[in-house]
Amino acid sequence: MAHLLSEDSQLVKDWASDQDAFKGVSWGKAMMWIFLLSDTFIFSSFLVGYMTVRMSVTEPWPNASEVFALTIAGHHIPLILIAIMTFILITSSGTMAMAVNMGYARKRKQAARLMFVTALLGASFVGMQAFEWTKLIEEGVRPWGNPFGAAQFGSTFFMVTGFHGLHVSAGVIYLLIVARKIQLGHYEKEGNYQIVEIAGLYWHFVDLVWVFIFAFFYLW
Amino acid sequence: MSTSNALGQESQEHNTQEHPIGLYLKIWVLLFVLSTLSYMVDYMQLQGYLRWTLIIIFMLLKAGLIVAVFMHMMWERLALIYAILLPPLCLLVLIGLMAIEADYTILMRYDFFGR
Amino acid sequence: MPLAIALILIVVLSVLFQVFTPWWSTPVASNWGHIDDTLVITGLITGVVFIAVNIFIAVAIIRYRHREGHKADYQPENKKLEWTLIGLTTLGIVGMLAPGLFVYSEFVDVPEEADHFEVVGQQWQWSFRFPGEDGVLGHADNRFITPDNPFGLKPDDPNGADDRLVLSNEVHLPLNRPVKVLMRSKDVLHDFYVPQFRAKMDLVPGTVSYFWFTPTRPGQFEILCAELCGVGHYNMRGKVVVETERAYREWMAGLPTFAKLQEGTTLTDSSDLSFEELVEQGRQLSQAQGCIGCHSLDGSPTPGPTWLNLYGKQEELADGSSVLVDDGYLREAIVNPNSQIVKGFAPMMPPYPFTDVQLDATVAFIKSLSDKAPNQEGDTQ
Amino acid sequence: MNEPQSFWTKYVWSQDHKVIAVQYSITAIVAGIVALVLSVLMRMQLGFPDSVPFMDSEAYYQAMTLHGMIMVIYLLTALFLGGFGNYMIPLMVGARDMVFPYLNMLSYWFYLLSVIVLMASFFVPGGPTGAGWTLYPPQAILTGTPGTDWGIITMLISLAIFIVAATMGGLNYVTTVLQARCRGMTLMRMPLTVWGIFVATIMALLAFPALFVSAVMMLFDKLLGTSFFMPAVVSMGQALDYDGGSPVLFQHLFWFFGHPEVYIVALPAFGIVSDLISVHARKNIFGFRMMVWAIVFIGVLSFVVWAHHMYVSGMNPYFGFFFAITTLVIAVPTAIKVYNWVLTLWRGDIHLTVPMLYAIAFISTFVIGGLTGLFLGNVIVDIPLSDTYFVVAHFHMVMGVSPILVIFGAIYHWYPKITGRMLNDTIGKTHFWITFIGTYAIYFPMHYLGILGMPRRYYAYENYEFIPQSAHDLNSFISAMAIVVAVAQVLYIYNLFWSYWKGKEAGPNPWGATSLEWQTPQTPPVHGNWGEKLPEVHRWAYDYSVPGYDEDFVPQTQPQPEDRPAGEMA
């Protein structure tokens, strides 16, 4: 720690320098990071709200493992849909990371193609979420109550996954726009493909949030 | 973006985040494994502290990998890393106190409402 | 220069105001005199700082105001001075915080021997519950509230049967006995506040809050609501009577128990009841349902029209027409309140789906409050 | 440089930070005037009951709620961040504009939309919400409170839109300060104005999320029947379908936003007033480093003190110890700031210009507001005082009067740069004296009503035995003073208009200030701010009365002489 704060550490030098504190970070990327920081607080507040109501209701909390189970080919498998959604989102993060790599390698076509794949995976995630919502609504889960236990189960489920789903949907649109622009060669002139990395930051963040939702809402 | 450039962003040395594809693939596989493990926690019906510890460990490992590698945090300069990672710490105070508060509420409810 | 004078004047006038003010804490009537002491300590320390800073500015303005040829000193920082000031400030903070936390630890630590009773709030009235012989309050929850069970006592909890209920906004407490106040709300946040006791706490629906105190002075004290609770907030009044142990016991003996109330309030058929009995039923019903939170019984202004001399009166309505307040109008106004709004009042009363018997009782009670009501005897339709 | 040409692109759909700043400021001030009128109506009712015919208890609570909400969010936050932040940051750090001007423009239009939605709540069925600016559930969405059908919905939606606007603006401000400074402009050479706004903006980005989330959750409680904040309740004799929620959770989330919010307003004011004092005392700000660290320290600490607003809320009572300690610790950096302001005056060359009058008045009122905060932060002292007029007096002194005095002073100080003309001194002084003395007369005695025990948020105080007649008389006096002060604000507005056309020509640097915004090639600065070449900074912003120079100020752009090594603070 002492080393980190000493006068000649890179940390102190960067902060004490003129013009920019984040060396080599473009305006867009800096802004995206700061936005994600703010968004972290939004999701954390949602999850804190969820934690508090879950801990303070006297009704029993439904067993997520059961509620989200599917019967496939006669087998009753707990949480299987959620597991698949998790894998899809992780896969999309992987393709996104490769798109960033292609962008920096100036492989325009591949970058755009990988981004389209990412968007497709994202869209299928949203599709599965829609399926999950439909299933739960058919089973009688509503924001104000459900047949399995505490009413807040439904409220927080729709609120938290809904908000995350909105983020994914927005991300899909964002990725599509950027990918299209790359295809059309909009960034060719400046030769700077950092936009892919910025879009990637957002996309990975959405994945990151899902990691927490998966752990706290579905597994806990 | 274009508007900002119109006003002239000073040229800066962009430290491009170029890393070998192989690394991404490795992380990808690792994330798959971790997700499977955390799924297995539920599938095996582990309960109690063991369950919660495992869930948290796998969650933090996954989150760490995504932030560090996919979001390139480990290659960023310390100035950015600290600026992004320190502020969420104050959320820990909120989380901790709200856990205590929720606990207090449920105790009151059991004590006085008799449910 | 005028500014320097103004600042000095502000200091002088503030100090004079402080010394001669007729507006100061009400005389304390509980054991929380220590709270007043912490207030005085804080007042002294902050007062010194207030005077010092203002006078310092005034002197600086006088000494260093702009004159031709004068130039300011160049002194970016003075580490020693700054750290001295930080040290002094910390000292002052500790001086306020330490006694404060000490008294607060007394405040949250309820003595073993303390009695307890419950305050229940609803828009906009108070009611109270005492534990009865067994010394234990029965479980109670808003989910059990019915017209017959206004406190929402858990019907099958044996501890609740002997609980003594106060359906009016007046509570009695014995002198010099520590008491823990448990608080609960039926609808929104309220705050049980008696200025002379110093302590106050919110009533929160969905949980129970508490504080404790020992009344140290006999007398009657006003209860106020100190947490915004809707349009009637400013009029949510009550009374604490602090009296000798004996008087308190007598008062307590007159209170109905929960078990007794349950037997008595099941309204059956109004034709069996005398007018007086009906009026009494109506009184209890309108307290339980919160009617008197909005409709005063003594003519004082409240969110809804007062019930004093209401019956038989010509009311002007919001649409300009007028109507005679009779049985029919009152019954309609309870079941479907927003159909005919009295001029000057907001359409905010919710419909009360009363049974015929309940309507009879309520109307009879309103009638009993009016000297214009014709033939009080028997006419209950 | 694509200079916008038509009136519409230049003044309406403008992406120039300076125009956006003025748009923000004008909108905020108009909203503020509405809130001021509401406060006069309330004071009329309190001082002279039943003097305003339509002021029934319902209208009173609606006025009270909207007054508080507009003043805190739509006036103060918007004016300091959207107004001053927008105007000052690029000019003071030597940037051509905000880093993303288009987003900056969107930020304003979203803000305007939020104000329009808010104002629309006056006309929706049931009127605006009367739940108090804290919007505590359950009462905010239950019958018995005005505006529970449409008022509360428009209020929450307006807040959500405001948060979107604040986020878009805030991202710009923070990124601009971090990444778009000119050569030589290190963080430690930035004027304190920028520091205050910078830290406040970071706090806004991290605190508004909690408000956003609680607004969303309350909207769901209201519209979908969820029970986040709603336990089982029996409202007006009707058992409702809610169950299991926790009203205290809302309060925690609200104040997790709400306390940082206090400093979101205060920190820019701290920064600006530091600069005003330094410029007009012709002396460097005393203890600059300490001032910066105090701002940062206050910013961080303000995230762990929130529940000192909830000492009597029925939360876990043991929280009182934790929050009393953190709250009183925050008093130390705040006190340092006060010491450094007054020590800046000491041995200065104090020009009692109108901005300086406001600045000094700020110190005096802020000291009262800050010191009374020590009463309310110390949990046991707070218990008798909470929810009384003491609280009203405290937060009006600390969050109402003092930041507003800074705003008056700041507008006076920078008006010449914005318009090229000076404001009128005579009107300025008249306005200053009425406002300063008037607010003292309003709020100083009000503390004593609180100590007496008069609860706040009361529509009337009829027949309370513990309130003597003299207290009612004092209340009337306070109301009379409030009306005088409110009316006096017309002077300031008049001054703004009159001087725009008739004011004295200002020249580029009328106060002889060192910071960058006074060194622009044109006054008012044109689009792009700096002409061909960005400025270069060679020293901190506080080189006033430096020994060895003829002038009593050395602009930041002036290079250090060869023979003089850069000084400690340069």
Side-chain angles (χ1 to χ4, degrees):
Chain A
M1 202 65 205
H3 165 71
L4 279 175
L5 293 177
S6 75
E7 290 273 326
D8 50 282
S9 79
Q10 192 209 55
L11 179 67
V12 174
K13 270 186 180 160
D14 277 8
W15 279 105
S17 69
D18 64 351
Q19 295 189 301
D20 46 3
F22 303 153
K23 295 293 168 203
V25 174
S26 72
W27 290 350
K29 188 167 144 187
M31 184 182 277
M32 181 52 85
W33 267 116
I34 299 165
F35 168 71
L36 295 181
L37 182 60
S38 181
D39 219 13
T40 305
F41 274 64
I42 292 209
F43 277 107
S44 305
S45 303
F46 273 127
L47 289 175
V48 166
Y50 155 68
M51 174 190 78
T52 313
V53 290
R54 178 166 174 176
M55 282 179 73
S56 53
V57 286
T58 44
E59 300 285 318
W61 197 261
N63 181 356
S65 182
E66 281 305 308
V67 175
F68 297 104
L70 277 188
T71 308
I72 299 172
H75 293 283
H76 186 76
I77 315 174
L79 276 186
I80 183 68
L81 183 64
I82 311 304
I84 296 172
M85 285 164 75
T86 306
F87 290 131
I88 285 184
L89 214 52
I90 288 176
T91 309
S92 78
S93 255
T95 54
M96 188 68 230
M98 291 198 287
V100 175
N101 187 292
M102 292 301 165
Y104 279 124
R106 299 285 154 81
K107 293 177 185 160
R108 169 158 89 87
K109 293 256 164 61
Q110 281 98 321
R113 218 169 289 152
L114 279 165
M115 286 180 82
F116 279 125
V117 172
T118 311
L120 193 70
L121 288 168
S124 65
F125 176 90
V126 176
M128 290 187 174
Q129 201 165 49
F131 171 77
E132 190 193 339
W133 276 43
T134 321
K135 177 173 162 283
L136 253 63
I137 290 170
E138 272 168 9
E139 284 168 5
V141 179
R142 299 286 183 276
W144 53 88
N146 64 71
F148 311 116
Q152 279 79 2
F153 174 77
S155 335
T156 41
F157 167 73
F158 288 117
M159 184 178 74
V160 173
T161 61
F163 227 78
H164 179 259
L166 279 179
H167 272 71
V168 179
S169 311
V172 168
I173 295 167
Y174 181 33
L175 288 181
L176 289 177
I177 293 172
V178 173
R180 184 73 191 142
K181 278 184 155 183
I182 290 175
Q183 254 188 347
L184 295 176
H186 275 216
Y187 303 100
E188 208 54 358
K189 246 183 293 167
E190 300 150 34
N192 181 357
Y193 280 91
Q194 206 171 31
I195 180 74
V196 188
E197 196 195 343
I198 296 171
L201 281 179
Y202 177 82
W203 192 259
H204 296 309
F205 177 76
V206 170
D207 189 12
L208 179 69
V209 171
W210 184 254
V211 170
F212 286 88
I213 294 177
F214 182 56
F216 288 132
F217 194 84
Y218 293 99
L219 293 180
W220 202 259
Chain B
M1 297 289 147
S2 53
T3 36
S4 70
N5 290 327
L7 282 165
Q9 180 170 2
E10 308 295 306
S11 68
Q12 26 183 319
E13 4 81 78
H14 288 292
N15 62 337
T16 54
Q17 296 284 5
E18 242 185 304
H19 310 288
I21 290 265
L23 177 66
Y24 290 138
L25 290 175
K26 269 181 223 146
I27 299 302
W28 191 353
V29 171
L30 210 50
L31 285 173
F32 253 86
V33 173
L34 286 171
S35 296
T36 314
L37 285 176
S38 51
Y39 178 67
M40 290 318 279
V41 171
D42 187 66
Y43 196 80
M44 309 289 286
Q45 298 281 309
L46 300 178
Q47 297 302 340
Y49 284 107
L50 177 66
R51 179 190 181 91
W52 296 329
T53 322
L54 287 177
I55 290 175
I56 297 251
I57 289 175
F58 294 141
M59 178 190 81
L60 289 180
L61 282 175
K62 278 164 76 181
L65 284 175
I66 292 174
V67 175
V69 182
F70 281 178
M71 297 173 93
H72 304 142
M73 183 72 106
M74 63 186 284
W75 296 288
E76 297 290 355
R77 291 166 78 103
L78 282 175
L80 180 73
I81 296 179
Y82 276 71
I84 300 301
L85 292 186
L86 287 183
L89 290 185
C90 69
L91 284 168
L92 294 180
V93 181
L94 179 70
I95 294 167
L97 287 175
M98 288 318 289
I100 299 172
E101 180 76 307
D103 198 48
Y104 179 73
T105 309
I106 189 111
L107 263 177
M108 286 293 170
R109 284 176 180 181
Y110 283 134
D111 273 7
F112 292 100
F113 297 166
R115 21 172 159 163
Chain C
M1 211 45 183
L3 188 59
I5 297 166
L7 289 173
I8 294 170
L9 268 179
I10 282 173
V11 169
V12 172
L13 290 176
S14 305
V15 172
L16 287 178
F17 193 97
Q18 165 71 32
V19 173
F20 292 107
T21 180
W23 305 293
W24 195 248
S25 307
T26 46
V28 66
S30 77
N31 59 322
W32 292 123
H34 283 318
I35 293 187
D36 286 6
D37 300 340
T38 57
L39 187 100
V40 170
I41 295 175
T42 314
L44 282 175
I45 295 177
T46 54
V48 169
V49 178
F50 169 71
I51 295 169
V53 171
N54 277 296
I55 296 290
F56 188 90
I57 300 175
V59 173
I61 293 175
I62 295 169
R63 284 187 60 178
Y64 302 108
R65 68 183 186 282
H66 175 65
R67 282 149 296 170
E68 274 315 308
H70 175 73
K71 203 169 179 183
D73 273 13
Y74 185 78
Q75 187 197 25
E77 45 193 21
N78 180 341
K79 285 260 159 67
K80 203 175 141 206
L81 177 60
E82 286 175 61
W83 284 106
T84 315
L85 286 171
I86 291 176
L88 283 176
T89 311
T90 312
L91 223 73
I93 297 290
V94 172
M96 287 179 275
L97 194 55
L101 291 184
F102 185 74
V103 178
Y104 187 64
S105 67
E106 273 177 53
F107 185 82
V108 291
D109 184 27
V110 186
E112 294 272 321
E113 72 275 16
D115 300 334
H116 61 286
F117 75 104
E118 184 186 59
V119 177
V120 181
Q122 77 184 77
Q123 285 168 328
W124 291 275
Q125 58 179 320
W126 306 98
S127 42
F128 309 90
R129 179 162 69 114
F130 287 83
E133 256 79 81
D134 60 0
V136 183
L137 284 168
H139 287 146
D141 189 355
N142 287 346
R143 293 195 292 190
F144 303 121
I145 292 177
T146 60
D148 302 342
N149 183 3
F151 283 80
L153 267 82
K154 196 176 186 184
D156 55 2
D157 185 352
N159 290 329
D162 66 342
D163 285 3
R164 301 264 178 181
L165 307 181
V166 186
L167 275 161
S168 77
N169 54 16
E170 180 179 318
V171 66
H172 292 228
L173 291 175
L175 190 62
N176 292 329
R177 281 252 303 267
V179 60
K180 180 181 186 181
V181 191
L182 293 161
M183 287 165 286
R184 178 162 78 82
S185 167
K186 289 187 196 174
D187 38 37
V188 302
L189 302 174
H190 301 283
D191 190 299
F192 183 78
Y193 174 42
V194 177
Q196 290 87 345
F197 294 160
R198 300 299 184 260
K200 66 159 83 78
M201 191 57 71
D202 279 10
L203 286 66
V204 185
T207 187
V208 172
S209 51
Y210 73 89
F211 69 82
W212 77 276
F213 72 104
T214 310
T216 55
R217 191 153 59 81
Q220 298 198 350
F221 305 98
E222 287 162 304
I223 305 169
L224 291 78
C225 179
E227 183 68 61
L228 179 56
C229 58
V231 286
H233 170 52
Y234 67 100
N235 241 337
M236 184 167 164
R237 296 162 192 251
K239 203 190 320 172
V240 182
V241 179
V242 176
E243 59 195 3
T244 59
E245 183 84 29
R246 227 181 90 191
Y248 166 74
R249 292 257 162 250
E250 272 169 28
W251 173 78
M252 179 69 76
L255 294 175
T257 61
F258 175 59
K260 178 113 179 295
L261 203 71
Q262 288 251 289
E263 291 160 23
T265 53
T266 321
L267 298 175
T268 44
D269 185 357
S270 54
S271 56
D272 298 348
L273 300 168
S274 72
F275 182 74
E276 275 74 29
E277 280 171 323
L278 208 52
V279 167
E280 187 48 38
Q281 300 280 16
R283 178 194 310 280
Q284 288 182 10
L285 191 64
S286 48
Q287 278 171 348
Q289 293 287 342
C291 311
I292 58 174
C294 293
H295 302 280
S296 71
L297 307 181
D298 56 0
S300 59
T302 31
T306 178
W307 283 356
L308 185 70
N309 291 329
L310 178 65
Y311 193 94
K313 185 179 162 192
Q314 284 284 339
E315 278 284 28
E316 202 182 330
L317 298 182
D319 58 10
S321 62
S322 82
V323 68
L324 175 72
V325 178
D326 56 8
D327 287 54
Y329 171 79
L330 284 175
R331 293 169 76 98
E332 174 68 12
I334 294 169
V335 180
N336 190 5
N338 295 340
S339 61
Q340 290 173 304
I341 296 294
V342 176
K343 192 174 168 135
F345 293 91
M348 54 164 291
M349 176 174 153
Y352 282 75
F354 277 7
T355 62
D356 266 355
V357 196
Q358 287 173 317
L359 284 172
D360 285 345
T362 316
V363 171
F365 178 50
I366 297 175
K367 242 185 223 180
S368 73
L369 294 166
S370 176
D371 41 21
K372 288 190 212 112
N375 66 359
Q376 299 212 343
E377 287 305 316
D379 178 29
T380 52
Q381 299 182 332
Chain D
M1 195 94 23
N2 32 6
E3 186 94 14
Q5 293 306 331
S6 78
F7 170 81
W8 286 94
T9 47
K10 205 166 173 182
Y11 296 112
V12 182
W13 304 105
S14 175
Q15 299 184 19
D16 184 342
H17 72 103
K18 298 182 290 297
V19 180
I20 296 172
V22 173
Q23 290 173 329
Y24 246 115
S25 307
I26 291 173
T27 314
I29 290 170
V30 169
I33 291 171
V34 173
L36 185 71
V37 171
L38 292 175
S39 71
V40 170
L41 291 173
M42 283 152 62
R43 272 326 309 185
M44 286 292 287
Q45 165 60 29
L46 289 175
F48 315 100
D50 303 324
S51 56
V52 184
F54 58 85
M55 208 61 184
D56 53 14
S57 110
E58 201 164 323
Y60 178 85
Y61 287 120
Q62 289 170 325
M64 182 191 83
T65 305
L66 270 285
H67 166 78
M69 194 61 102
I70 292 176
M71 286 299 193
V72 172
I73 308 270
Y74 298 87
L75 171 70
L76 287 169
T77 309
L79 192 54
F80 274 122
L81 302 188
F84 287 104
N86 249 320
Y87 204 94
M88 291 305 155
I89 290 174
L91 280 170
M92 282 186 153
V93 303
R96 294 213 177 273
D97 203 319
M98 289 294 176
V99 287
F100 293 103
Y102 184 76
L103 197 64
N104 202 19
M105 177 189 77
L106 274 187
S107 162
Y108 169 69
W109 290 105
F110 270 83
Y111 166 62
L112 183 67
L113 180 65
S114 77
V115 173
I116 290 170
V117 172
L118 180 76
M119 294 301 165
S121 77
F122 281 104
F123 306 102
V124 295
T129 177
W133 87 278
T134 47
L135 303 178
Y136 280 177
Q139 65 127 347
I141 59 175
L142 288 187
T143 31
T145 303
T148 39
D149 25 32
W150 279 99
I152 184 70
I153 297 173
T154 44
M155 179 81 255
L156 293 172
I157 289 174
S158 168
L159 280 176
I161 300 172
F162 180 89
I163 293 166
V164 173
T167 306
M168 292 194 290
L171 290 172
N172 252 318
Y173 314 152
V174 174
T175 316
T176 306
V177 171
L178 285 177
Q179 297 297 86
R181 282 164 282 139
C182 67
R183 287 187 71 85
M185 181 60 85
T186 63
L187 288 175
M188 275 299 177
R189 280 180 179 170
M190 289 196 310
L192 286 165
T193 298
V194 181
W195 263 109
I197 294 171
F198 172 57
V199 175
T201 311
I202 295 174
M203 290 166 63
L205 288 175
L206 305 185
F208 273 121
L211 177 67
F212 181 80
V213 167
S214 34
V216 168
M217 286 161 84
M218 184 144 59
L219 263 183
F220 285 175
D221 277 3
K222 167 75 190 161
L223 296 174
L224 298 180
T226 58
S227 302
F228 292 114
F229 304 134
M230 302 294 287
V233 292
V234 178
S235 170
M236 304 282 168
Q238 313 290 308
L240 304 183
D241 284 336
Y242 298 111
D243 190 20
S246 165
V248 180
L249 168 63
F250 177 87
Q251 300 183 25
H252 279 294
L253 285 176
F254 182 87
W255 288 114
F256 188 77
F257 143 77
H259 196 78
E261 167 65 24
V262 172
Y263 286 99
I264 289 168
V265 171
L267 290 184
F270 289 175
I272 290 170
V273 87
S274 308
D275 284 357
L276 295 190
I277 289 174
S278 174
V279 173
H280 296 273
R282 316 304 300 157
K283 184 162 173 278
N284 62 70
I285 193 79
F286 184 83
F288 173 76
R289 282 172 218 262
M290 205 66 107
M291 292 297 256
V292 171
W293 285 112
I295 285 179
V296 174
F297 197 54
I298 291 171
V300 173
L301 266 183
S302 68
F303 277 93
V304 293
V305 298
W306 75 88
H308 66 217
H309 299 267
M310 301 168 56
Y311 287 146
V312 298
S313 70
M315 64 171 179
N316 186 335
Y318 290 91
F319 284 5
F321 293 102
F322 175 78
F323 285 103
I325 293 171
T326 53
T327 304
L328 265 67
V329 167
I330 219 173
V332 176
T334 316
I336 292 169
K337 298 198 76 73
V338 174
Y339 301 147
N340 287 1
W341 291 323
V342 298
L343 286 171
T344 303
L345 294 175
W346 198 251
R347 296 184 190 285
D349 175 22
I350 302 170
H351 290 59
L352 286 172
T353 55
V354 181
M356 188 61 155
L357 294 179
Y358 287 113
I360 292 175
F362 160 84
I363 306 179
S364 183
T365 53
F366 180 75
V367 163
I368 290 212
L371 291 174
T372 49
L374 293 170
F375 289 72
L376 299 174
N378 199 352
V379 51
I380 194 72
V381 190
D382 174 72
I383 284 172
L385 296 177
S386 66
D387 289 308
T388 68
Y389 265 92
F390 192 90
V391 179
V392 180
H394 158 71
F395 69 68
H396 276 91
M397 267 303 193
V398 82
M399 252 200 115
V401 175
S402 30
I404 297 270
L405 285 174
V406 172
I407 287 174
F408 287 139
I411 292 179
Y412 212 100
H413 181 77
W414 279 301
Y415 192 82
K417 180 50 61 178
I418 299 168
T419 64
R421 288 174 191 275
M422 306 293 285
L423 282 170
N424 181 295
D425 265 4
T426 318
I427 309 181
K429 283 192 174 149
T430 319
H431 171 262
F432 166 77
W433 282 109
I434 299 176
T435 308
F436 178 47
I437 301 299
T439 45
Y440 245 105
I442 295 168
Y443 295 112
F444 188 84
M446 202 185 268
H447 291 100
Y448 291 84
L449 293 181
I451 294 176
L452 172 68
M454 269 175 85
R456 74 193 182 113
R457 294 178 159 180
Y458 266 35
Y459 163 70
Y461 297 85
E462 286 154 351
N463 313 319
Y464 282 104
E465 277 166 38
F466 77 99
I467 303 175
Q469 181 56 38
S470 64
H472 291 288
D473 298 340
L474 183 60
N475 227 349
S476 310
F477 167 78
I478 290 173
S479 289
M481 292 314 294
I483 291 160
V484 170
V485 172
V487 171
Q489 305 315 307
V490 174
L491 286 176
Y492 201 86
I493 306 283
Y494 174 75
N495 199 356
L496 290 180
F497 282 103
W498 186 86
S499 305
Y500 187 74
W501 287 284
K502 302 274 178 64
K504 206 168 66 188
E505 290 283 344
N509 191 357
W511 311 114
T514 59
S515 46
L516 278 185
E517 80 274 23
W518 300 103
Q519 324 302 335
T520 54
Q522 290 93 2
T523 298
V526 294
H527 191 64
N529 293 347
W530 306 105
E532 284 298 299
K533 196 166 170 292
L534 282 175
E536 196 168 326
V537 165
H538 300 277
R539 52 184 74 234
W540 70 333
Y542 298 99
D543 264 345
Y544 292 99
S545 306
V546 184
Y549 285 87
D550 296 337
E551 291 274 1
D552 65 352
F553 70 104
V554 190
Q556 278 189 284
T557 46
Q558 186 167 325
Q560 300 284 355
E562 294 286 324
D563 57 331
R564 188 193 293 265
E568 190 197 356
M569 298 305 296

